[in-house]
Amino acid sequence: MKDPFIGCKRPLPLMKGLAKEFYDWCRQGELRFQRCKQCGSFRHVPREICADCSSFDWEWVRSSGAGTVYTWTVVERALHPAFLQAVPYAPVVVEMAEGVRLVSRIIDCPPEDLRIGMPVRVEFEAVSEDISLPCFRRT
Amino acid sequence: MTATGQACIVGIGETAYCRKPGSGLSQMALQLKAALAAIADAGLKASQIDGIMPFPNLGKAEALAANLGCADLRFAATINMGGAAPVASLRMAAMAVTSGAADYVLVPGGWNGYSGERVRETSAGDDDSIPGAQIARDYYMPYGYTAPPQWYALMARRHMHEFGTTAEQLGAVALAMRGHAQLNPAAMMCGKPMTMADYLASPMISDPYRLLDCCLETDGAAAFVVTSAERARDLAQRPVKVLGAAAGQPYPADEITNRREFHRIGLTSAAAEAFRQAGVTPGDADFAEIYDCFTFEVIQQIEEAGFCARGEGGAFVENGGISLGGRLPVNTHGGLLSHAHSLGLGHVVEAVRQLRGVAGARQVKDAEIGVVTGWGDFGDGSIAILGR
Ligand SMILES: [Zn+2]
């Protein structure tokens, strides 16, 4: 399928703080989530401390990369100028095996084929010299 | 909140609402017009207002007070809950007037939502627009997940998957609001009835939301005035009592996707608290004005407020369930979907009209208890139980 985001100047994350750390791992081809060193719970989006046990101790742990589609929407009318040419496209929430969820997209799945529960695996797309974004492919 | 019924809404005001060619007024002028109408409705002078609670990002209390001649402003606050702000402000205003922090609190809001900057294209654009703005920038926007109908569409889709909620049930919400608008000459969609075929044929915006699932964008403003029950006795209108009021947040409130209980929203805890304060149950409500930014949010709030169990909202809204004459008339003025986008203030104004018994052709007969809700940002919620 044709990539709806080809030629699309997508808004990019501000590479600062924990977001920079998250995306720096992505640029190395690794999806990593914070895991609390005290209670072992994973979290996303990145946060300073563990909401379960208040610990400041955490580490970036590599994800298995496997997840399933939790929910999605198909955008047919762009509501941000960067995506005017990209419609239709589908932001998807993926639930990872680690239990955390993230917003992403499935690069090899036309919107009409999306199903909740569909198994997917992470990949990375370089969107600038410094930034790679996690995306997914059907498994 | 403090003791039930000790705070009242004593004045309401609105401007006309319009789309093309626009109000021709500044955002501040629109709000002042509505504020003055509400103050006059109460039988007060503007100089008597000593508390102001502006809507987030739409005006400052200092500027409103300077224009209105409020020389003794003692209380000013803004609740950053987007569309949940007006009802959350009602709750805080009630706390202010019963604690003595202020005597007369004005809650205004208004904008050029059609002719000015379009909210749909700006919502997650800058750092201060919403509480989760930086998260949206870093983790949502790169995927084109940028605007309210898209944020909430993910919730609607998941609800449809888990509970079998259908497109026709979303449509039933849109149709009920449109039906009520036919009875309200002030509604933008008065004279423009809609059928289910019209609904289903409307273009998809962000699946499952079609154009006719989305609220209107309009210019206009509304306002209300809150005081204590004691002071209310000397004013112009029969007071509408705040029997219970609460606000709440989903968890986490600044990020939509990682909620362990995905369908729990701010209203879930707030509604339980407000009904408990009021000493009534959802079944006691004669009507509800429910913040209807999109159709599914009405279904979700009906469930989370306890009008029915989670998952049963789709069936609840079908077959005239939320139309006048149904089990719970919802948005008797037409709501954001078919009246105007009055930021949720119009829902409060309509609830007061119903409880005053002055709602004309759309009056709920013998209305004694009404519920009004707010919804904002990533699912913040507010609710007030009002009584006559
Ligand atoms: Zn922990």
Side-chain angles (χ1 to χ4, degrees), chain B residues 14 27 55 57 107 121 155 199 219 225 259 272 283 312 315 356 367 374 380 383 385:
Chain B
E14 280 180 298
Q27 188 166 278
F55 192 94
N57 302 326
V107 181
E121 282 157 8
M155 302 184 187
Y199 166 79
D219 292 6
V225 177
R259 293 179 180 164
E312 293 174 4
R356 285 180 181 174
D380 293 352
I383 180 169
I385 321 293

mmCIF file of all heavy atoms in Angstrom, chain B residues 14 27 55 57 107 121 155 199 219 225 259 272 283 312 315 356 367 374 380 383 385:
data_model
loop_
_atom_site.group_PDB
_atom_site.id
_atom_site.type_symbol
_atom_site.label_atom_id
_atom_site.label_comp_id
_atom_site.label_asym_id
_atom_site.label_seq_id
_atom_site.Cartn_x
_atom_site.Cartn_y
_atom_site.Cartn_z
ATOM 1 N N GLU B 14 -27.451 35.441 27.419
ATOM 2 C CA GLU B 14 -26.849 34.910 26.198
ATOM 3 C C GLU B 14 -26.872 35.990 25.126
ATOM 4 O O GLU B 14 -27.782 36.814 25.100
ATOM 5 C CB GLU B 14 -27.680 33.735 25.640
ATOM 6 C CG GLU B 14 -27.464 32.402 26.302
ATOM 7 C CD GLU B 14 -28.342 31.334 25.667
ATOM 8 O OE1 GLU B 14 -29.590 31.471 25.735
ATOM 9 O OE2 GLU B 14 -27.798 30.385 25.105
ATOM 10 N N GLN B 27 -14.121 39.015 21.076
ATOM 11 C CA GLN B 27 -14.414 37.972 22.055
ATOM 12 C C GLN B 27 -14.802 38.590 23.399
ATOM 13 O O GLN B 27 -15.711 38.111 24.076
ATOM 14 C CB GLN B 27 -13.148 37.127 22.191
ATOM 15 C CG GLN B 27 -13.284 35.886 23.003
ATOM 16 C CD GLN B 27 -12.081 34.976 22.791
ATOM 17 O OE1 GLN B 27 -12.005 34.237 21.824
ATOM 18 N NE2 GLN B 27 -11.125 35.063 23.694
ATOM 19 N N PHE B 55 -13.640 31.668 31.505
ATOM 20 C CA PHE B 55 -13.375 30.400 30.811
ATOM 21 C C PHE B 55 -11.876 30.357 30.458
ATOM 22 O O PHE B 55 -11.287 31.367 30.111
ATOM 23 C CB PHE B 55 -14.232 30.333 29.544
ATOM 24 C CG PHE B 55 -14.260 28.975 28.902
ATOM 25 C CD1 PHE B 55 -15.286 28.076 29.205
ATOM 26 C CD2 PHE B 55 -13.275 28.588 28.003
ATOM 27 C CE1 PHE B 55 -15.313 26.818 28.618
ATOM 28 C CE2 PHE B 55 -13.300 27.323 27.415
ATOM 29 C CZ PHE B 55 -14.327 26.448 27.721
ATOM 30 N N ASN B 57 -8.450 30.537 28.872
ATOM 31 C CA ASN B 57 -7.858 31.114 27.657
ATOM 32 C C ASN B 57 -8.775 32.065 26.880
ATOM 33 O O ASN B 57 -8.458 32.439 25.760
ATOM 34 C CB ASN B 57 -7.367 30.032 26.686
ATOM 35 C CG ASN B 57 -6.341 29.118 27.324
ATOM 36 O OD1 ASN B 57 -5.555 29.551 28.150
ATOM 37 N ND2 ASN B 57 -6.358 27.837 26.949
ATOM 38 N N VAL B 107 -20.008 33.910 35.970
ATOM 39 C CA VAL B 107 -19.294 32.910 35.159
ATOM 40 C C VAL B 107 -19.629 33.180 33.689
ATOM 41 O O VAL B 107 -20.733 32.863 33.242
ATOM 42 C CB VAL B 107 -19.695 31.475 35.542
ATOM 43 C CG1 VAL B 107 -18.918 30.453 34.698
ATOM 44 C CG2 VAL B 107 -19.462 31.212 37.029
ATOM 45 N N GLU B 121 -8.618 23.346 14.673
ATOM 46 C CA GLU B 121 -7.285 23.311 14.094
ATOM 47 C C GLU B 121 -6.214 23.795 15.049
ATOM 48 O O GLU B 121 -5.048 23.829 14.718
ATOM 49 C CB GLU B 121 -7.261 24.148 12.800
ATOM 50 C CG GLU B 121 -7.891 23.383 11.656
ATOM 51 C CD GLU B 121 -8.395 24.285 10.543
ATOM 52 O OE1 GLU B 121 -8.123 25.493 10.587
ATOM 53 O OE2 GLU B 121 -9.059 23.749 9.637
ATOM 54 N N MET B 155 -11.938 6.508 21.703
ATOM 55 C CA MET B 155 -12.753 6.009 22.817
ATOM 56 C C MET B 155 -14.041 5.397 22.281
ATOM 57 O O MET B 155 -14.481 4.335 22.731
ATOM 58 C CB MET B 155 -13.108 7.161 23.766
ATOM 59 C CG MET B 155 -11.910 7.899 24.342
ATOM 60 S SD MET B 155 -12.488 9.157 25.536
ATOM 61 C CE MET B 155 -10.952 10.001 25.884
ATOM 62 N N TYR B 199 -28.010 11.599 8.426
ATOM 63 C CA TYR B 199 -26.892 11.372 9.350
ATOM 64 C C TYR B 199 -25.887 10.403 8.743
ATOM 65 O O TYR B 199 -24.685 10.674 8.676
ATOM 66 C CB TYR B 199 -27.400 10.834 10.697
ATOM 67 C CG TYR B 199 -26.284 10.276 11.542
ATOM 68 C CD1 TYR B 199 -25.449 11.113 12.268
ATOM 69 C CD2 TYR B 199 -26.022 8.897 11.559
ATOM 70 C CE1 TYR B 199 -24.380 10.607 12.992
ATOM 71 C CE2 TYR B 199 -24.959 8.386 12.285
ATOM 72 C CZ TYR B 199 -24.148 9.242 12.998
ATOM 73 O OH TYR B 199 -23.073 8.741 13.701
ATOM 74 N N ASP B 219 -20.304 31.660 16.669
ATOM 75 C CA ASP B 219 -19.935 32.848 17.439
ATOM 76 C C ASP B 219 -21.037 33.092 18.469
ATOM 77 O O ASP B 219 -22.227 32.972 18.141
ATOM 78 C CB ASP B 219 -19.868 34.081 16.522
ATOM 79 C CG ASP B 219 -18.717 34.017 15.520
ATOM 80 O OD1 ASP B 219 -18.027 32.975 15.453
ATOM 81 O OD2 ASP B 219 -18.523 35.012 14.798
ATOM 82 N N VAL B 225 -24.968 33.993 36.857
ATOM 83 C CA VAL B 225 -24.565 34.609 38.124
ATOM 84 C C VAL B 225 -25.010 33.708 39.275
ATOM 85 O O VAL B 225 -26.139 33.202 39.278
ATOM 86 C CB VAL B 225 -25.200 36.006 38.283
ATOM 87 C CG1 VAL B 225 -24.829 36.608 39.641
ATOM 88 C CG2 VAL B 225 -24.766 36.922 37.152
ATOM 89 N N ARG B 259 -4.994 4.356 30.113
ATOM 90 C CA ARG B 259 -5.913 4.328 31.252
ATOM 91 C C ARG B 259 -6.249 2.880 31.553
ATOM 92 O O ARG B 259 -6.719 2.159 30.684
ATOM 93 C CB ARG B 259 -7.166 5.141 30.935
ATOM 94 C CG ARG B 259 -6.803 6.610 30.808
ATOM 95 C CD ARG B 259 -7.955 7.510 30.470
ATOM 96 N NE ARG B 259 -7.438 8.877 30.390
ATOM 97 C CZ ARG B 259 -8.068 9.889 29.834
ATOM 98 N NH1 ARG B 259 -9.275 9.713 29.314
ATOM 99 N NH2 ARG B 259 -7.518 11.081 29.796
ATOM 100 N N ALA B 272 -21.134 10.522 41.018
ATOM 101 C CA ALA B 272 -21.480 9.834 42.269
ATOM 102 C C ALA B 272 -21.476 10.820 43.426
ATOM 103 O O ALA B 272 -22.375 10.828 44.276
ATOM 104 C CB ALA B 272 -20.491 8.695 42.511
ATOM 105 N N GLY B 283 -32.175 8.550 38.541
ATOM 106 C CA GLY B 283 -33.559 8.322 38.144
ATOM 107 C C GLY B 283 -34.513 9.447 38.548
ATOM 108 O O GLY B 283 -35.614 9.559 38.016
ATOM 109 N N GLU B 312 -24.550 0.211 28.264
ATOM 110 C CA GLU B 312 -25.969 0.236 27.907
ATOM 111 C C GLU B 312 -26.432 1.590 27.356
ATOM 112 O O GLU B 312 -27.617 1.789 27.084
ATOM 113 C CB GLU B 312 -26.817 -0.143 29.140
ATOM 114 C CG GLU B 312 -26.610 -1.591 29.553
ATOM 115 C CD GLU B 312 -27.324 -1.943 30.864
ATOM 116 O OE1 GLU B 312 -28.043 -1.089 31.417
ATOM 117 O OE2 GLU B 312 -27.132 -3.085 31.310
ATOM 118 N N ALA B 315 -28.259 1.650 23.818
ATOM 119 C CA ALA B 315 -29.682 1.300 23.852
ATOM 120 C C ALA B 315 -30.500 2.400 24.527
ATOM 121 O O ALA B 315 -31.648 2.662 24.155
ATOM 122 C CB ALA B 315 -29.865 -0.025 24.600
ATOM 123 N N ARG B 356 -36.978 27.198 35.733
ATOM 124 C CA ARG B 356 -37.846 28.363 35.926
ATOM 125 C C ARG B 356 -39.210 28.137 35.256
ATOM 126 O O ARG B 356 -40.144 28.893 35.482
ATOM 127 C CB ARG B 356 -37.213 29.607 35.313
ATOM 128 C CG ARG B 356 -36.064 30.197 36.100
ATOM 129 C CD ARG B 356 -35.530 31.427 35.354
ATOM 130 N NE ARG B 356 -34.406 32.035 36.050
ATOM 131 C CZ ARG B 356 -33.702 33.044 35.545
ATOM 132 N NH1 ARG B 356 -34.023 33.551 34.344
ATOM 133 N NH2 ARG B 356 -32.691 33.556 36.226
ATOM 134 N N ALA B 367 -40.809 20.209 35.519
ATOM 135 C CA ALA B 367 -39.403 19.893 35.794
ATOM 136 C C ALA B 367 -39.001 20.410 37.171
ATOM 137 O O ALA B 367 -39.168 21.599 37.478
ATOM 138 C CB ALA B 367 -38.510 20.512 34.724
ATOM 139 N N GLY B 374 -20.387 18.891 32.182
ATOM 140 C CA GLY B 374 -19.365 19.452 31.307
ATOM 141 C C GLY B 374 -18.345 18.383 30.992
ATOM 142 O O GLY B 374 -18.151 17.434 31.761
ATOM 143 N N ASP B 380 -11.917 15.304 31.179
ATOM 144 C CA ASP B 380 -12.271 15.941 32.448
ATOM 145 C C ASP B 380 -13.788 16.072 32.509
ATOM 146 O O ASP B 380 -14.451 16.245 31.488
ATOM 147 C CB ASP B 380 -11.646 17.338 32.540
ATOM 148 C CG ASP B 380 -10.127 17.283 32.631
ATOM 149 O OD1 ASP B 380 -9.587 16.178 32.779
ATOM 150 O OD2 ASP B 380 -9.501 18.353 32.543
ATOM 151 N N ILE B 383 -20.272 18.194 36.913
ATOM 152 C CA ILE B 383 -21.711 17.940 36.956
ATOM 153 C C ILE B 383 -22.342 18.779 38.060
ATOM 154 O O ILE B 383 -21.729 18.998 39.114
ATOM 155 C CB ILE B 383 -21.996 16.435 37.187
ATOM 156 C CG1 ILE B 383 -23.507 16.157 37.244
ATOM 157 C CG2 ILE B 383 -21.291 15.905 38.422
ATOM 158 C CD1 ILE B 383 -23.860 14.669 37.205
ATOM 159 N N ILE B 385 -26.263 19.135 39.994
ATOM 160 C CA ILE B 385 -27.661 18.741 40.136
ATOM 161 C C ILE B 385 -28.402 19.997 40.581
ATOM 162 O O ILE B 385 -28.078 20.560 41.637
ATOM 163 C CB ILE B 385 -27.857 17.639 41.209
ATOM 164 C CG1 ILE B 385 -26.735 16.599 41.172
ATOM 165 C CG2 ILE B 385 -29.244 17.014 41.096
ATOM 166 C CD1 ILE B 385 -26.672 15.742 39.975
#
